[in-house]
């Protein structure tokens, strides 16, 4: 009974275990790749959400500037630290990290206003910003 058949079985002993380990390793690499892709997609979706919220806030502030009174005292108060408290509070509700990086409204003498909204995503070290320019003409 120790003929060629017995030698073939002896050579194949453990092959099923080896094939199973290779299949498990391949499946694990594939599952890990899908998981990493999913995490990346979630991060990109959060960044898009925050950027959209920042653009909506900037457009709302630009609309308030355009629709408000155009006398120089009112326009100067917009760029003062207390002139846009509602805007800062809305930014703090919509975006993370705006308390450390508050939004800014700056103006030049030609009636141009630059609205800058800054935020820092949780777990991110970089500060993101969205800037909008609006101009008031007489």
């Amino acid at each position: 009974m120790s003929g060629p058949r017995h030698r073939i079985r002896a050579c194949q002993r453990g092959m099923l275990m080896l094939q199973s380990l290779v299949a498990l390793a391949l499946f694990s690499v594939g599952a890990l790749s899908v998981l990493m892709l999913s995490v990346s997609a979630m991060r990109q979706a959060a960044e898009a959400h925050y950027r959209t919220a920042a653009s909506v806030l900037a457009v709302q502030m630009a609309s308030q500037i355009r629709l408000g009174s155009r006398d120089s005292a009112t326009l100067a108060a917009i760029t003062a630290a207390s002139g846009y408290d509602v805007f800062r509070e809305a930014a703090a509700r919509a975006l993370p990290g705006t308390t450390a990086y508050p939004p800014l409204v700056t103006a030049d003498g030609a009636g141009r206003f630059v609205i800058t909204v800054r935020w820092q995503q949780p777990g991110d070290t970089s500060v993101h910003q969205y800037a909008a320019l609006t101009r008031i003409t007489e």
Side-chain angles (χ1 to χ4, degrees):
M1 289 271 174
S2 64
R5 263 179 127 172
H6 182 64
R7 272 187 254 141
I8 291 174
R9 278 192 216 154
C11 289
Q12 289 183 350
R13 190 173 293 160
M15 286 301 286
L16 181 62
M17 177 73 85
L18 182 62
Q19 289 173 347
S20 298
L21 287 174
V22 168
L24 185 62
L26 289 174
F27 177 77
S28 298
V29 167
L32 185 62
S33 298
V34 169
L35 182 65
M36 289 174 57
L37 184 63
S38 175
V39 168
S40 176
M42 288 172 56
R43 187 176 296 129
Q44 293 295 326
E47 186 175 331
H49 170 75
Y50 294 140
R51 187 163 299 281
T52 302
S55 69
V56 167
L57 287 167
V59 167
Q60 286 175 347
M61 185 63 181
S63 296
Q64 288 176 3
I65 292 170
R66 278 190 236 114
L67 294 175
S69 176
R70 295 193 178 176
D71 62 80
S72 59
T74 304
L75 293 177
I78 289 172
T79 59
S82 62
Y84 55 98
D85 287 337
V86 175
F87 176 53
R88 266 194 308 216
E89 290 168 5
R93 283 191 306 270
L95 297 169
T98 56
T99 53
Y101 305 99
L104 302 170
V105 179
T106 56
D108 64 1
R112 290 182 297 213
F113 289 83
V114 177
I115 303 155
T116 306
V117 182
R118 301 176 297 175
W119 70 96
Q120 187 174 24
Q121 287 181 221
D124 195 358
T125 57
S126 61
V127 177
H128 303 272
Q129 80 174 20
Y130 181 87
L133 174 70
T134 189
R135 185 174 181 158
I136 297 179
T137 58
E138 297 292 327

